[in-house]
Amino acid sequence: MTRTSKAAVVGVGFSPMARRSERSVLSLASEACSAALADAGLSASNVDGIGSFMLSGDSVPAVAVATSLGCGPLKLALDLNLGGQAPCLLAWQAAQAIVRGDADVVLVYRALNGRSGPRVGSMHFEGRGGQYRYPIGYGAYLMYTAMWAARFLFETGQGAHD
């Protein structure tokens, strides 16, 4: 691959959405990643970086997906244990790795059995913040985002349909 000072998202893929997939998370991740590579016109042998995130063990490690796909030797493997801002951070880190020359093709994914496995909002996290968020029902990041959006609309005088 030729070095560039820019990075781009060039393929998107997903596995079927279902209440009960009856499949492993590794199988779902591999299918979605294969579809993204096909959409980008790339093969697994082009991939030299891979990254994902999980929350309380609800997904599979990036190296497991790279192995199942038959990716070439990896220069970069990212496994974040985050929620909320993790997709944005992961995309930024992948882009930075490409710009720095740490990798040429970084495959980024998120996979989980969200209905039949651990569900977002049903997991409790350690730390002192729980005493403030769980009693008022704030168990998922989207709840915070909705609160911040409502405040933004109020402070700027906008309505939901402006």
Side-chain angles (χ1 to χ4, degrees):
M1 297 251 157
T2 57
R3 180 67 39 224
T4 180
S5 62
K6 296 181 181 180
V9 175
V10 295
V12 177
F14 58 92
S15 57
M17 310 291 175
R19 286 190 185 269
R20 290 204 166 278
S21 72
E22 305 295 332
R23 296 174 58 192
S24 70
V25 177
L26 179 59
S27 169
L28 294 169
S30 298
E31 180 179 346
C33 289
S34 291
L37 289 170
D39 186 48
L42 298 168
S43 69
S45 63
N46 297 122
V47 175
D48 60 355
I50 190 164
S52 185
F53 70 96
M54 64 178 71
L55 196 57
S56 297
D58 65 358
S59 192
V60 291
V63 173
V65 174
T67 300
S68 76
L69 294 172
C71 293
L74 295 177
K75 297 177 186 175
L76 176 74
L78 298 168
D79 278 310
L80 304 179
N81 189 19
L82 296 170
Q85 76 283 6
C88 298
L89 177 61
L90 193 58
W92 177 79
Q93 287 186 327
Q96 289 301 306
I98 292 168
V99 169
R100 281 191 315 267
D102 295 339
D104 291 312
V105 176
V106 181
L107 181 62
V108 175
Y109 71 92
R110 171 70 165 129
L112 70 152
N113 267 320
R115 293 290 295 180
S116 56
R119 293 185 69 180
V120 173
S122 68
M123 299 175 267
H124 285 260
F125 306 102
E126 298 298 322
R128 292 178 274 186
Q131 65 183 321
Y132 302 107
R133 76 175 151 255
Y134 297 128
I136 61 171
Y138 277 53
Y141 195 72
L142 288 175
M143 296 168 183
Y144 293 97
T145 305
M147 177 183 62
W148 295 328
R151 180 168 181 154
F152 172 81
L153 292 174
F154 173 78
E155 288 181 353
T156 60
Q158 298 179 55
H161 302 287
D162 287 347

